[in-house]
Amino acid sequence: MSFTSEVKNEVSKLETLAVENLTELSALLRNIGTLGQNSIHITTENSSVARRIFNFLKQKYQVIAKVTVRRGYNFNKNYIYMLELKQKLEEIANDLCLKQNIPKSYLYDDDSLKRAYIRGLFLSCGSINDPKKSRYHLEFLVDTKEYACFVQNLLNFFELNSKTIRRDTKYMVYLKEAEKIGDFLRIIGANNSLFYYEDIRIYRDHKNMTNRLNNCEQANVDKMIETATKQVQDIELLEESQAFSLLDDKVKEAAIYRKKYPEASLLELSEIISIETGILITKSGLYHRMNKIKQLAAQIRENKKMK
């Protein structure tokens, strides 16, 4: 079972107020219902969602929808649940604003009703990636640009930072930020799914941070080895060119220890010299000595090019 299905199954079992059910039903039928002259047809691949719609219609309007189940035509061959309603069509259409592209404000005029509408949106046209298997992504696929803007504004009322793009003939409203998707699950009341999502997110964030630290440490080691190798090459060049004697005693001492400990960092090398000679030398002081070797080696290389 996909993570989307698990979230929808959890949300479909929530106990909610009658006034919230009306708002949620409006979002559900707006997106997966078709209003005809003599009937309303509702289609979903989730049995829990179909059951929730059936119960809402029965509780609010005392009507019984005809339910049909058949195999889908997709590769997974999931079941498709179809509800057909032929009673109180005008009353239902007016209450739920099914004849309007954008629902009337009374359906979402406070925070709890906005949450209910968003819950219905997700149950009807939402999907969410499993954080364990792929990138963080939550989306709603809707039919018009105007409705997409309405959905985006509704989500951003809760500061979810949703975006909208066109996808073929439809519009996708989506969230990419991991924390915002967690906030969304909290808004629709999917608490069990939220705990799972946050556990995976924290684990992935910790793993990514560890990898970044390891990569940074490895990069520093590589840089240190590269620097030490160049220093040894400079010293060997001075020796081959009989220019080593041009160095003062302190710089010669640093060169000797660098060749003796070619894999040590400057900090490690300064500590080694301080211990073995009994004379304190800092990392900064050792750097300046190595820099004198580097400058003299560069002059020798430049002279060779000119000859």
Side-chain angles (χ1 to χ4, degrees), residues 26-248:
S26 174
L28 284 161
L29 268 61
R30 163 65 177 76
N31 290 287
I32 56 174
T34 302
L35 177 62
Q37 289 185 346
N38 302 311
S39 65
I40 296 175
H41 287 87
I42 306 156
T43 305
T44 177
E45 292 186 1
N46 190 290
S47 60
S48 294
V49 174
R51 190 180 304 111
R52 190 170 179 86
I53 295 171
F54 181 92
N55 290 333
F56 280 177
L57 290 169
K58 182 180 178 181
Q59 292 166 6
K60 173 62 179 175
Y61 298 104
Q62 293 78 49
V63 294
I64 303 297
K66 177 184 176 182
V67 180
T68 305
V69 182
R70 65 171 173 81
R71 281 281 190 180
Y73 297 111
N74 56 13
F75 292 111
N76 295 325
K77 296 183 178 179
N78 293 332
Y79 286 107
I80 294 178
Y81 302 87
M82 297 176 291
L83 283 70
E84 183 181 19
L85 194 64
K86 292 188 175 181
Q87 301 169 280
K88 299 185 178 180
L89 301 184
E90 192 67 23
E91 180 183 355
I92 293 171
N94 289 335
D95 285 354
L96 305 183
C97 299
L98 299 184
K99 296 179 181 180
Q100 289 87 37
N101 189 22
I102 306 300
K104 294 181 179 179
S105 60
Y106 68 82
L107 286 169
Y108 57 92
D109 60 3
D110 64 31
D111 287 9
S112 62
L113 293 182
K114 285 182 173 66
R115 293 172 188 269
Y117 199 92
I118 291 172
R119 189 163 56 242
L121 272 170
F122 181 76
L123 292 176
S124 58
C125 61
S127 66
I128 181 172
N129 285 356
D130 189 331
K132 184 184 293 184
K133 298 179 180 178
S134 56
R135 69 192 188 283
Y136 300 114
H137 182 78
L138 167 69
E139 69 174 49
F140 304 87
L141 200 60
V142 299
D143 55 0
T144 69
K145 183 177 181 180
E146 184 183 7
Y147 189 65
C149 290
F150 166 74
V151 171
Q152 182 179 352
N153 291 334
L154 198 61
L155 294 170
N156 290 346
F157 174 83
F158 295 100
E159 299 181 355
L160 295 179
N161 195 29
S162 64
K163 311 288 186 192
T164 301
I165 61 170
R166 183 164 186 169
R167 178 188 282 180
D168 298 326
T169 59
K170 295 191 174 184
Y171 294 85
M172 183 177 74
V173 184
Y174 65 94
L175 281 68
K176 288 286 189 184
E177 299 172 55
E179 292 185 4
K180 300 300 184 182
I181 295 174
D183 291 341
F184 172 85
L185 292 173
R186 189 178 298 107
I187 287 168
I188 65 173
N191 294 326
N192 291 334
S193 299
L194 174 63
F195 293 148
Y196 167 83
Y197 177 87
E198 290 294 347
D199 283 346
I200 300 301
R201 185 175 74 84
I202 291 170
Y203 168 77
R204 286 183 62 179
D205 288 350
H206 177 73
K207 183 179 179 180
N208 291 338
M209 182 179 68
T210 302
N211 289 338
R212 285 195 295 270
L213 290 174
N214 288 339
N215 291 338
C216 182
E217 182 178 349
Q218 184 60 46
N220 288 336
V221 170
D222 291 343
K223 183 179 180 181
M224 182 270 292
I225 292 174
E226 181 183 1
T227 300
T229 300
K230 289 181 178 179
Q231 290 169 351
V232 171
Q233 290 173 349
D234 288 344
I235 294 167
E236 290 175 344
L237 176 61
L238 298 185
E239 292 173 339
E240 293 170 2
S241 305
Q242 298 181 346
F244 191 76
S245 60
L246 299 176
L247 302 173
D248 62 43

